[in-house]
Amino acid sequence: DQQVKQNSPSLSVQEGRISILNCDYTNSMFDYFLWYKKYPAEGPTFLISISSIKDKNEDGRFTVFLNKSAKHLSLHIVPSQPGDSAVYFCAASFPSPILTGGGNKLTFGTGTQLKVEL
Amino acid sequence: DGGITQSPKYLFRKEGQNVTLSCEQNLNHDAMYWYRQDPGQGLRLIYYSQIVNDFQKGDIAEGYSVSREKKESFPLTVTSAQKNPTAFYLCASSIVGQRNEAFFGQGTRLTVV
């Protein structure tokens, strides 16, 4: 049962344009969401996060939007650069890490391969 | 510099052999995690630990074992019982009790030959 879904395995965007990566989740108990970027044969690096009490969080070229009613979040990258070409993972976690015993245990989506073309 | 170190980067194992992947962190994080990445399946949680001498099974723990004797170290053993061990293994750590990101190591590519 995939609780976090990234339905687009790949996305191609021209340099300078906007990249929009989408993520859907099924478990309404998730209350914290993160985006990671991953290059081949390397570990993921954290990009940006958002708490469920917000609907938008912005950090430079990266903005994450959260629509709780639709159980959907998206990552916007503006403007897209060739160095942004990577796999992007959406992840989610539950509240009260101590109560659930999970620390910051993250549930990941399957990833979207972004290619930014010149 | 603080971070997470996984070793080795590449590992080859013969069928039927156990193999141990190393993960060390100097971030003073209490929680550590092991994930496995397969093509098209994202990252799946194998084991996690919130404190020394304690650990919990994740979603795909069968065929794996871990230990947490020191805060800094969380080695993963892939046993011969793991039916499909060839994968990219990622170790991560985080602070417990705060909503923040987990930090990942560079990964170990395990190939069974």
Side-chain angles (χ1 to χ4, degrees), chain A:
Chain A
D1 179 29
Q2 191 74 26
Q3 296 189 76
V4 179
K5 302 177 184 179
Q6 294 176 258
N7 292 319
S8 297
S10 63
L11 175 67
S12 186
V13 173
Q14 280 196 321
E15 182 181 12
R17 307 293 281 265
I18 184 171
S19 294
I20 301 176
L21 296 99
N22 294 304
C23 178
D24 297 292
Y25 60 96
T26 58
N27 195 327
S28 58
M29 293 297 292
F30 287 133
D31 78 333
Y32 192 68
F33 304 89
L34 307 90
W35 284 94
Y36 281 83
K37 175 181 179 180
K38 185 181 181 301
Y39 294 116
E42 293 185 9
T45 54
F46 170 74
L47 271 178
I48 192 169
S49 63
I50 188 167
S51 166
S52 60
I53 62 173
K54 296 184 176 181
D55 55 18
K56 177 183 175 182
N57 189 25
E58 190 172 354
D59 183 2
R61 295 187 298 115
F62 303 93
T63 303
V64 56
F65 295 91
L66 176 62
N67 182 334
K68 283 187 293 182
S69 61
K71 296 191 182 69
H72 176 83
L73 65 155
S74 60
L75 174 68
H76 292 210
I77 306 173
V78 183
S80 300
Q81 300 173 354
D84 295 329
S85 297
V87 177
Y88 288 78
F89 288 100
C90 169
S93 69
F94 295 103
S96 287
I98 295 173
L99 291 177
T100 60
N104 284 330
K105 185 175 64 170
L106 299 174
T107 300
F108 284 86
T110 53
T112 296
Q113 173 75 60
L114 173 65
K115 182 177 181 181
V116 180
E117 300 173 319
L118 298 172

